[in-house]
Amino acid sequence: MEATSSAAPPVPPSAHVLVEIANSRALSVRPDLLATPAEAVALLRTLALLPEGGTPTEADLDEIREFRSVLNRLLAGGEDTEVRTTLNTLARRVALNADFTSEEATLTAAPGTDRPLARLVIHLFRTVSDNTWPRVRLCANEECAAAFYDTTRSRTQRWHSYTDCGNKSNVAAHRARARAAKTG
């Protein structure tokens, strides 16, 4: 008899990059990781968003910050026309090549245009096209709002961490119900 595994599926690489970029904004537990060029370079190199030996320009950093802002607005439910228009405008700033083989299709930055923004657009394209985008979401704890990848089978994970945000939310809800029952 074959054993079944209840281990969570791995986070796809493109979804991981998007989660890290979304979480690079200032959160209650950490500063803005794109605030200075040195911090940005460290993050971009860790996520392989810089070409080998590349250094982002200030314009690159501005584009990445703008992409991050749009990404977080999308994750927060910002499905309005303005968000989509901004995202499409950002995507049109980069030249991409599509290559099709009999088994797969790939999207790459055009030669000479490999910028961090191009790589981010490719990662977003991959998460949408492989249907993993709906699993990238923001923590339901409004004070936290960290991005995470939902690895649950049911696709219903609400908090980036049950022990941190989920437990706090459940305890707060329980206490509110107990107070209402006493006064009710």
Side-chain angles (χ1 to χ4, degrees):
M1 185 156 109
E2 196 173 304
T4 58
S5 173
S6 62
V11 177
S14 287
H16 169 75
V17 168
L18 295 177
V19 165
E20 292 301 313
I21 288 297
N23 286 337
S24 70
R25 72 197 187 287
L27 297 171
S28 61
V29 294
R30 73 172 176 210
D32 184 341
L33 300 179
L34 296 174
T36 68
E39 290 171 316
V41 166
L43 177 65
L44 297 176
R45 286 203 173 122
T46 299
L47 298 175
L49 292 173
L50 284 176
E52 191 67 36
T55 303
T57 65
E58 192 56 45
D60 288 334
L61 295 178
D62 288 343
E63 286 177 334
I64 296 164
R65 291 179 194 117
E66 187 175 4
F67 181 91
R68 176 183 64 184
S69 175
V70 169
L71 179 63
N72 279 296
R73 287 172 55 197
L74 283 171
L75 291 172
E79 295 292 327
D80 61 26
T81 305
E82 180 187 342
V83 173
R84 293 285 177 192
T85 300
T86 304
L87 179 60
N88 289 331
T89 299
L90 281 168
R92 287 184 188 107
R93 290 182 191 167
V94 295
L96 301 173
N97 288 335
D99 293 305
F100 301 94
T101 66
S102 61
E103 297 177 17
E104 68 178 11
T106 58
L107 195 59
T108 58
T113 63
D114 191 5
R115 303 186 342 240
L117 179 62
R119 292 180 181 207
L120 285 169
V121 169
I122 291 167
H123 284 299
L124 182 58
F125 176 84
R126 286 179 184 155
T127 61
V128 171
S129 64
D130 70 10
N131 202 31
T132 56
W133 171 251
R135 288 181 175 266
V136 179
R137 50 183 64 141
L138 294 180
C139 183
N141 177 353
E142 291 177 10
E143 293 175 14
C144 172
F148 66 94
Y149 183 81
D150 180 358
T151 59
T152 64
R153 216 170 164 183
S154 61
R155 297 181 180 215
T156 57
Q157 185 174 340
R158 296 187 59 223
W159 303 286
H160 85 282
S161 164
Y162 185 80
T163 55
D164 291 338
C165 294
N167 191 41
K168 288 176 187 174
S169 178
N170 288 336
V171 167
H174 172 74
R175 289 180 179 158
R177 285 190 303 273
R179 277 192 303 275
K182 281 184 181 180
T183 60

